[in-house]
Amino acid sequence: MTHPLPARAAIVATAQQSIARGSKSFAAASRLFDRATRERAWLLYAWCRACDDLADGQDHGHGMQIVADPQARIAEIRAKTDAAFAGQWVGDPAFDALRIVAAETRMPKRFADDVVAGFQLDADDWRPRSEADLYRYCYHVAGVVGCMMAVVMGVDPADEATLDRACDLGLAFQLANIARDIEEDDRVGRCYLPVEWLVEMDIPPGQHMKPPFRQRLAVLSRRLADRAELHEASARVGTKQLAFRSAWAVLAAAGIYGDIARRVAQRGEHAWDHRVTTSGGEKLGWIVRSFGQARAREGYADTPRDPLLWTRPR
């Protein structure tokens, strides 16, 4: 189904406002795409942000709270997402954004379904028991979004090897998020640290934010940062398959978000005294640095993806 250009332009403008409010890091990196890719990245972000806000009662990623009707919210997300992929006019700018980007990129619906499955995990009050469980969650809420972004950037949905690298970047971002947001998640009764990790550190259930356990918690946050770095490195190799401007944007985002994980690890037990962020100057620094990295990416060694890294489901 097609719509007149003003309708698309208005939805793109709304999506641009969403990313500007919701993520300064992604907004900065997205500027490096060519216009068509940039607009589609904004459209995809708007859908992801709206789903997250609806599921968690947030406003552009801020003010997460316990919601009284989680299952009804997931049902709404699923119904609107299904309508968008069916080419229907949804009447919600964020889901109409998905309708547009799906139609323009041959986006596989299974990817969107996997994202919604991640929100379902939270609605079910699911907790990871093992490291494999942690990665499963990270895949559903971020890794598969990396796959969707790769399709937006022109990667063939059948190019599994490149999609694996794109998934790695999403995993790296989410591992950094989890490390940074341990305290914020705890305030709404959530914990994404595997139960087996907490048992290993002898941290009682629900007590990980208490002062006596801060040093042990810092060990786990460093572990998350280390895992994030491995997936970030793998993702960088995949940028060889992207156009220059897309590779530039991806490498900038990888550096900016990688700094968040590294900073959490460096702060140790004080990582949650204040929310870890990157400054405008630091973002600009990565934009400049990643230009050279994008130019040099053809020189990256053609090393196979590490088989020990967690791999997304097929």
Side-chain angles (χ1 to χ4, degrees), residues 4-294:
L5 182 61
R8 184 187 188 281
I11 292 170
V12 169
T14 300
Q16 181 182 5
Q17 294 169 3
S18 177
I19 197 169
R21 290 184 60 192
S23 177
K24 292 181 173 58
S25 296
F26 290 140
S30 72
R31 293 283 183 181
L32 307 180
F33 289 124
D34 63 83
R35 180 176 177 178
T37 305
R38 179 169 62 245
E39 289 185 352
R40 289 168 183 162
W42 289 344
L43 292 168
L44 180 60
Y45 176 90
W47 172 72
C48 294
R49 180 75 274 151
C51 291
D52 207 13
D53 286 351
L54 183 58
D56 287 340
Q58 302 178 113
D59 179 11
H60 288 81
H62 306 291
M64 183 167 59
Q65 56 188 300
I66 299 173
V67 299
D69 55 344
Q71 300 300 337
R73 289 168 180 258
I74 301 304
E76 179 181 348
I77 289 170
R78 185 171 284 114
K80 289 182 175 179
T81 297
D82 288 347
F85 269 90
Q88 299 172 12
W89 184 263
V90 184
D92 181 319
F95 289 87
D96 282 315
L98 177 65
R99 172 181 55 78
I100 292 169
V101 78
E104 292 180 355
T105 64
R106 296 191 304 121
M107 183 70 68
K109 185 174 184 292
R110 69 180 185 277
F111 287 165
D113 290 340
D114 280 352
V115 174
V116 177
F119 294 116
Q120 185 69 61
L121 290 173
D122 278 331
D124 293 340
D125 198 27
W126 176 89
R127 308 293 172 93
R129 179 166 185 80
S130 64
E131 187 169 326
D133 289 341
L134 168 66
Y135 273 114
R136 174 190 168 205
Y137 177 79
C138 289
Y139 165 74
H140 281 291
V141 301
V144 70
V145 177
C147 295
M148 296 178 83
M149 271 300 304
V151 174
V152 163
M153 289 182 276
V155 174
D156 188 326
D159 184 351
E160 302 287 7
T162 301
L163 293 179
D164 283 342
R165 303 285 188 170
C167 180
D168 280 326
L169 189 60
L171 296 175
F173 289 167
Q174 188 61 27
L175 290 165
N177 273 342
I178 289 172
R180 179 191 62 189
D181 296 341
I182 290 173
E183 188 273 336
E184 181 180 335
D185 289 331
D186 182 64
R187 278 190 269 125
V188 293
R190 290 184 183 172
C191 179
Y192 298 109
L193 298 169
V195 172
E196 292 177 359
W197 286 13
L198 296 172
V199 171
E200 175 192 344
M201 290 289 114
D202 198 22
I203 299 175
Q207 303 297 304
H208 56 279
M209 285 308 303
K210 297 294 177 61
F213 304 111
R214 282 295 182 97
Q215 288 186 338
R216 301 178 203 180
L217 188 62
V219 172
L220 297 182
S221 69
R222 283 194 295 272
R223 184 179 297 177
L224 288 167
D226 290 343
R227 302 290 194 275
E229 190 169 6
L230 292 173
H231 286 281
E232 178 189 336
S234 178
R236 288 177 176 275
V237 176
T239 60
K240 292 179 67 172
Q241 307 304 318
L242 303 177
F244 172 77
R245 290 190 64 170
S246 291
W248 185 13
V250 166
L251 290 166
I256 292 167
Y257 243 79
D259 273 357
I260 291 175
R262 287 183 279 272
R263 196 155 299 164
V264 169
Q266 289 164 1
R267 289 187 181 180
E269 60 187 284
H270 297 289
W272 308 281
D273 294 349
H274 304 284
R275 183 178 173 84
V276 172
T277 60
T278 53
S279 69
E282 289 166 333
K283 291 181 178 66
L284 180 60
W286 270 111
I287 288 172
V288 172
R289 198 179 320 173
S290 59
F291 178 85
Q293 293 174 345

